[in-house]
Amino acid sequence: MKDDRLFVFAGSGTRYTLRPFAEYIRKQGHSVIELDTEASDCISRIKEIPGGSIIYITSDHLGLDKGNYGLLIPGQFSVANLEIMEELRPKKSILYTHDLGKIVGVWSEQRYLDLFSLILFPFVCNDFYFAKRRFNSVEEIGWIKKKENFSIKRIPTENKKIVYFPSNMMSSLERYGIEGYADWIEHTIDKSISIKPSSFIKMRPVSEILKERGYTILDTTLTPYDIMETSDLIITNGCSSVVYEAAYSGCPVVSILDGFDSDKQYIMEKPQLRWVYSLYPEDVMLFVNRVRKGELELDNGKDIIKPFDFEKAYQLVSG
């Protein structure tokens, strides 16, 4: 019997974590469409999708339409998952997170969980139990960005390997501009700290400026797990996903209180673990220098997040 199921994936930029899973399903012989919810042709592509046995899988925010997105970034366009689901009327719908931090709850997204046939979580947490309480089809599946066979292999040395992952990039560009954002980073970390920018295209001019100023800019295709294996300390902003990826891998991480959310909110939302440090920008290098001089010993923890289980996920979404 011919399999007429069509797997439709949706998300955009760093909010689309599902590309490896889409490729896995293609390799099983299924028809797959991937929608970029910020692409100008997204709506026309949705209109062209034939009706029938559609399985819809998203890692994007549920209500991220032009109105909500515009509150954060004026003029930014996005098609909302709720709009896509209304148009496609899928036979089955699946939600997976793109972030280890705010998994559900942005724009009161918890109100829409019952629209999904299945919710997949990267790890068991409070949001997992919240969803489970009101919705039975909830499964832990692992983190899709987690490197297989990940293990920290630090080499004892006086020259501590420290890497900065910029986050809150769009907000920073809106507030400071390209040159001003580069200045902010330069005032926060010195050139002894490597910088690992994301693939976010609007970050490229900032990275180029920092490179010209003597900073080491790492390959954007490297994952946090590639870098954490041999790093002594990770630095990022606020409660970015990198904070959670490092914290739950047992790697010491600094969460910079950058002012885009209140200090109280950042501190409350970050993982409450000994090896997660909240610091103001002006205190980051003071902290780093104390670590390098041996005046402060960093705490370490256990690696508790599992890699994504592709076969289990496939059985769940296709069953």
Side-chain angles (χ1 to χ4, degrees):
M1 183 177 176
K2 182 181 178 182
D3 187 346
D4 63 348
R5 289 176 297 177
L6 173 62
F7 290 78
V8 178
F9 288 78
S12 188
T14 56
R15 305 190 311 278
Y16 185 53
T17 61
L18 291 165
R19 186 163 288 110
F21 189 37
E23 187 58 33
Y24 185 90
I25 289 182
R26 276 196 187 95
K27 288 179 179 177
Q28 312 311 309
H30 297 290
S31 297
V32 174
I33 292 176
E34 294 177 87
L35 296 173
D36 183 342
T37 50
E38 290 184 22
S40 58
D41 66 346
C42 183
I43 293 175
S44 61
R45 290 194 67 203
I46 292 168
K47 296 290 185 182
E48 292 169 359
I49 293 174
S53 188
I54 294 173
I55 297 177
Y56 183 70
I57 310 173
T58 182
S59 58
D60 211 341
H61 287 300
L62 304 184
L64 192 58
D65 57 13
K66 185 175 181 180
N68 281 324
Y69 210 173
L71 294 174
L72 294 176
I73 308 170
Q76 190 68 31
F77 166 83
S78 181
V79 181
N81 275 288
L82 302 181
E83 297 169 328
I84 297 172
M85 292 165 67
E86 178 68 20
E87 179 69 26
L88 296 182
R89 302 293 176 122
K91 175 184 176 182
K92 193 171 185 178
S93 55
I94 297 96
L95 173 64
Y96 180 71
T97 180
H98 69 270
D99 196 326
L100 291 180
K102 296 178 180 178
I103 296 177
V104 294
V106 180
W107 296 300
S108 301
E109 288 172 330
Q110 63 270 27
R111 294 178 297 176
Y112 308 118
L113 296 185
D114 55 2
L115 297 177
F116 289 86
S117 316
L118 173 67
I119 303 173
L120 300 176
F121 275 82
F123 68 112
V124 174
C125 57
N126 286 340
D127 285 333
F128 174 92
Y129 288 114
F130 173 83
K132 194 87 170 174
R133 186 180 64 187
R134 56 172 292 184
F135 190 83
N136 291 327
S137 298
V138 179
E139 296 283 347
E140 179 191 13
I141 203 66
W143 181 226
I144 203 163
K145 296 181 182 181
K146 183 67 177 280
K147 182 178 178 179
E148 290 283 351
N149 303 316
F150 168 83
S151 64
I152 293 176
K153 312 177 186 74
R154 296 192 185 97
I155 302 171
T157 174
E158 291 182 3
N159 298 319
K160 301 291 186 183
K161 183 178 177 182
I162 302 173
V163 180
Y164 172 55
F165 288 74
S167 188
N168 291 339
M169 291 170 287
M170 195 66 235
S171 298
S172 297
L173 286 166
E174 287 286 322
R175 177 178 292 182
Y176 304 118
I178 293 172
E179 190 88 23
Y181 186 19
D183 291 342
W184 186 90
I185 292 175
E186 187 172 22
H187 293 151
T188 304
I189 61 167
D190 69 18
K191 296 175 181 63
S192 68
I193 297 175
S194 301
I195 298 174
K196 164 51 182 72
S198 75
S199 57
F200 182 49
I201 194 168
K202 293 185 179 180
M203 185 66 185
R204 289 181 188 173
V206 181
S207 298
E208 287 301 318
I209 291 172
L210 292 168
K211 187 175 181 180
E212 290 172 2
R213 294 180 183 180
Y215 283 86
T216 299
I217 307 298
L218 301 178
D219 189 337
T220 60
T221 63
L222 291 171
T223 72
Y225 296 100
D226 293 326
I227 292 169
M228 282 190 290
E229 282 190 316
T230 56
S231 294
D232 297 281
L233 177 66
I234 299 297
I235 301 172
T236 187
N237 302 72
C239 291
S240 78
S241 191
V242 174
V243 170
Y244 293 85
E245 288 174 312
Y248 294 137
S249 297
C251 183
V253 57
V254 167
S255 162
I256 301 177
L257 304 171
D258 59 12
F260 289 107
D261 277 322
S262 69
D263 296 352
K264 181 179 179 180
Q265 184 172 341
Y266 273 149
I267 293 169
M268 180 179 66
E269 290 181 355
K270 77 175 179 64
Q272 303 302 308
L273 300 167
R274 296 188 315 276
W275 50 95
V276 183
Y277 305 88
S278 295
L279 299 173
Y280 292 110
E282 60 269 26
D283 295 330
V284 170
M285 287 310 305
L286 295 173
F287 179 88
V288 166
N289 290 331
R290 286 188 65 201
V291 170
R292 285 178 169 158
K293 291 176 183 177
E295 297 173 1
L296 178 64
E297 185 174 345
L298 295 169
D299 283 318
N300 296 275
K302 293 182 179 180
D303 180 10
I304 63 172
I305 293 185
K306 304 169 187 174
F308 193 83
D309 189 333
F310 286 90
E311 181 57 27
K312 178 181 177 182
Y314 171 62
Q315 295 299 330
L316 286 169
V317 305
S318 61

